[in-house]
Structures are given as C-alpha cells and as structure tokens.
Amino acid sequence: MSLVLGVETSCDETAASVVADGRRILSNVVASQIELHRRYGGVFPELASRQHVLEIVPVIQAALSQADTELSALDAIAVTSGPGLVGSLLVGVNAAKAIAWARGLPLVGVNHLEAHLYANWLIAPGTTAGRQDEPVPRLPLLCLIVSGGHSDLVLMTEHDQYQVLGRTIDDAAGEAFDKVARLLGLGYPGGPAIQAAAQTGNPSAFELPRALWKQGYDFSFSGLKTAVLHIVQEYAGLPAQPSQAKAQAATAQEPPPKRELPVADLAASFQAAVVDVLVEKTRRAAEELRVEEVLLAGGVASNTALRQEMKARVRLPVRYPPPVLCTDNAAMVAAAGHFKFRTGKQASWDLDVCPGLGLV
Ligand code: KG4
Ligand code: ZN
C-alpha cells in the first residue's frame, strides 16, 4: 500500500488528506475560509494567506490523526504548487517542503487543475466502503475542468499526458457564477446560490447569449455576465446601455420604471446558458475525438444541471466526483501526487510556487 499526504492551499481552503494507493481516502480535512471572505464578496488574497498560516499545521495534524497514521508511515507528500494565489500557495508548499525535508520523504509538486481531474480516481466516500475494484477512468478521456479560475477542455491520453483543446478567453465559468450571483444579490460563493435560486426559475425566461457556440473549443462568459447586468439595470430603472442613455438624454424621456427583479428566472436562464455552452463544446469534442469517457472536474462540476445535461447529451460514459471532491480539497492532490510519484516525478528542494501554472 502506498500512502500519500496531500496538501492544498492554492486559494481559500486549507486542506490536508491521506490517500492510499491514489484512490482510497483515509482522511480529508478542509478548513474553509468562506465566512472570512463573505463580507468582501470574493477571496481577499492577503487574508487568505494569513489564515493558511494559522490553519496549516492543525489541519495536517488532523488529517494524519483521522487517518490513524503518522508521518513515518507516509510514502510521499504531494502539494499544490500552482496555479493559484501566490501567498496562499507559498504556505502549503513551504509546509510540505519542511515536513518532507525533516522526515526524508519524497516531495511531489502537483498542478491544481490536474488534481481536480484526479478527483475522478478517488473512491467516493461512504458509497463503496473503500472497494479496490471500483473501475478507474479509462484512457484516452476528455475532461471538462470548470472552477473559479479555469474553464479548460482537456484531452488526457495517458497519465501526465494532456492536450488543452480549449479554455476561456475571459471569465472562468465559476467566476461568471460568482459575479452574476453578486449582481442578483445572492451572495458568495455564487455557484451554489445560483443553483438554489434557479430551482424555482424558468430557464427559458430570458434569452441570453451563448458565445462561440459553434466556434472551436474556447469559452467566453464575459458577454453573458454583461447581458445579465443590462437586465438587472433595466429592472432597477437604470438605462441598460450607454447608447440607450444617450438616446434618453436626447429625447428627455423619463427613465423606465423600477420593477421587481425576477431573480429565480434570471438565475435559471443564466445557469442554462452556461451549462448549454459547456455541454455543447464537450459533446462536440467527444464526438470528434475517440475517447472512452467524459469527466467533469472543479467546483462548477458539482452543479446539478451541468451533470444532468452532460449525461443526457453526451453519448459516452460521463463521470464526476461527489460535490465534496469537486470543490478544493487535498484528497485530489494526494491522488494526483500518487500517480505522478509512480511515474518517477519527484520535486527537488527548490520546488517553487507558480501562480500561473498551466496544465501543459
Ligand atoms: O474548484 P473550486 O473549489 O476552486 C477553484 O479552484 O477555483 O471552484 C470554486 C468555484 C466557485 O466559483 C463556485 O461558485 C463554483 O466553483 N461552484 C459552483 C457550484 N459549487 C461551486 N458553480 C456552479 N454550481 C455549483 N453548485
Ligand atoms: Zn480548485
């Protein structure tokens, strides 16, 4: 059995986990900073790194004790070295490096996006009681990684062999959820809030843009966010666009009356537009490339509408981690670290953080 300690501090979760053989979760501790950042409507980077400093040691200790193990029993330590917030990444990387050096353990640097992808290798907690015969994802596969910072459509041919087919040219999918939630007064984090509001809304109530619908595999969500902004402004009795403002000034018209914003309908229409684009591009890529499966990964992969639509429209097995393994955690880092370590990829003591690290 190979035991890997995973450490994750790339954004606003301080997390540590012990995973056996890259699949079986022995512990998965996540200290969330959501409450700390809520009042700012997003992650405040300096506060995040300071909080990581306070949490990192107790979180690692809790992960070891919940796994009923100790440092001497570990085979390696895996840590997220990028992409992410520089100050946040530094805390995890330095903690992992210090422990690895002091205990003479191999250190593995993990790409956060790769970690999200490898969450699909983990055996879902509680469901199979650690069965080793749970089938692993079959290669080659297509993975849609959708998080707060990324929207990447990735072809994985072998372990450690990736080709990024498309990525966002502006906002990430999760970022769009967070920004639109703020516009709708739904709070932070936006994804779960929009999903909840959308449950009682009509997804066809508003016709919203689907950017780059038929063009390539890149995504664009900033136009969609702006379209929602214009609707919100219109309902608030504000001129929706500068051109309209000019026209109104010219004709000295009264501004339009304020109306109550149909939040549920707008949330549902926005969610449907994002899901539609994500699914359509993935479906097209899955048909064009000969892959065995389609995987979803990243925080947005916990979105129920996305999961349902992907399963309904893609004619291949579609796999996604349980919600608790979609959002940031360290079990996925330990899983990715295990497979990397197995192929001989070990970091040297000069491992540094890389805030803009890409998959390839
Ligand atoms: O992967 P993640 O935890 O952190 C990053 O690596 O960015 O993703 C966080 C993002 C946030 O933007 C959050 O709003 C979004 O994932 N998210 C969701 C849902 N749950 C989290 N988006 C849509 N629907 C959800 N249910
Ligand atoms: Zn993430």
Side-chain angles (χ1 to χ4, degrees):
M1 183 171 75
S2 140
L3 277 192
V4 176
L5 170 71
V7 176
E8 157 65 41
T9 62
S10 68
C11 191
D12 60 339
E13 324 278 1
T14 320
S17 159
V18 179
V19 170
D21 301 321
R23 304 203 64 211
R24 199 154 48 85
I25 303 170
L26 303 187
S27 63
N28 187 19
V29 180
V30 181
S32 169
Q33 300 180 6
I34 284 183
E35 287 313 318
L36 186 67
H37 301 288
R38 199 185 293 283
R39 80 186 96 147
Y40 305 102
V43 179
F44 193 134
E46 184 54 30
L47 279 185
S49 29
R50 285 170 191 227
Q51 193 63 22
H52 286 309
V53 172
L54 297 176
E55 302 272 16
I56 190 73
V57 173
V59 163
I60 291 176
Q61 280 171 335
L64 290 168
S65 107
Q66 285 175 26
D68 202 14
T69 191
E70 47 197 37
L71 292 171
S72 58
L74 297 176
D75 292 279
I77 300 188
V79 62
T80 305
S81 60
L85 301 169
V86 64
S88 292
L89 289 164
L90 274 168
V91 179
V93 166
N94 283 313
K97 232 190 234 186
I99 298 170
W101 188 78
R103 294 298 181 128
L105 288 166
L107 179 71
V108 185
V110 168
N111 182 311
H112 183 76
L113 301 174
E114 197 175 7
H116 272 304
L117 190 154
Y118 272 97
N120 284 287
W121 265 258
L122 292 165
I123 296 164
T127 50
T128 52
R131 273 179 48 195
Q132 290 300 294
D133 55 351
E134 267 293 284
V136 290
R138 285 179 305 147
L139 302 167
L141 58 81
L142 196 61
C143 184
L144 177 70
I145 307 174
V146 268
S147 68
H150 293 83
S151 304
D152 289 359
L153 188 56
V154 176
L155 173 67
M156 178 183 186
T157 47
E158 290 294 337
H159 286 287
D160 218 21
Q161 295 293 317
Y162 309 105
Q163 190 187 335
V164 179
L165 304 172
R167 49 167 60 99
T168 182
I169 58 168
D170 40 53
D171 292 347
E175 189 181 355
F177 268 97
D178 293 335
K179 286 177 175 170
V180 165
R182 217 174 304 157
L183 289 176
L184 302 184
L186 290 174
Y188 166 84
I194 290 205
Q195 176 172 311
Q199 267 173 0
T200 53
N202 172 7
S204 315
F206 293 91
E207 209 172 296
L208 294 171
R210 269 85 165 146
L212 308 176
W213 177 251
K214 290 275 176 218
Q215 291 159 255
Y217 296 128
D218 281 341
F219 303 100
S220 165
F221 295 110
S222 78
L224 173 59
K225 174 196 64 193
T226 308
V228 174
L229 170 68
H230 289 162
I231 293 168
V232 171
Q233 288 175 331
E234 197 187 311
Y235 273 84
L238 299 166
Q241 290 171 35
S243 55
Q244 282 185 8
K246 271 191 215 144
Q248 276 168 3
T251 56
Q253 271 179 358
E254 286 292 310
K258 273 190 194 178
R259 287 174 293 157
E260 196 186 330
L261 189 67
V263 172
D265 283 350
L266 203 41
S269 302
F270 164 78
Q271 179 175 266
V274 175
V275 166
D276 206 7
V277 176
L278 293 175
V279 173
E280 172 57 21
K281 300 224 175 204
T282 311
R283 183 199 64 75
R284 189 149 43 80
E287 271 173 24
E288 282 169 19
L289 305 160
R290 293 187 172 195
V291 292
E292 299 283 342
E293 304 192 13
V294 168
L295 310 186
L296 302 182
V300 182
S302 45
N303 185 275
T304 326
L306 175 63
R307 290 162 174 248
Q308 285 168 353
E309 279 294 297
M310 197 66 84
K311 281 210 152 177
R313 281 158 57 182
V314 171
R315 280 179 285 170
L316 283 174
V318 174
R319 186 193 291 253
Y320 38 75
V324 69
L325 298 176
C326 283
T327 46
D328 288 352
N329 65 86
M332 64 185 196
V333 178
H338 166 87
F339 289 100
K340 246 183 149 161
F341 185 53
R342 223 176 54 168
T343 56
K345 296 254 164 80
Q346 198 179 320
S348 52
W349 296 122
D350 62 0
L351 172 72
D352 203 357
V353 300
C354 186
L357 188 65
L359 247 193
V360 283

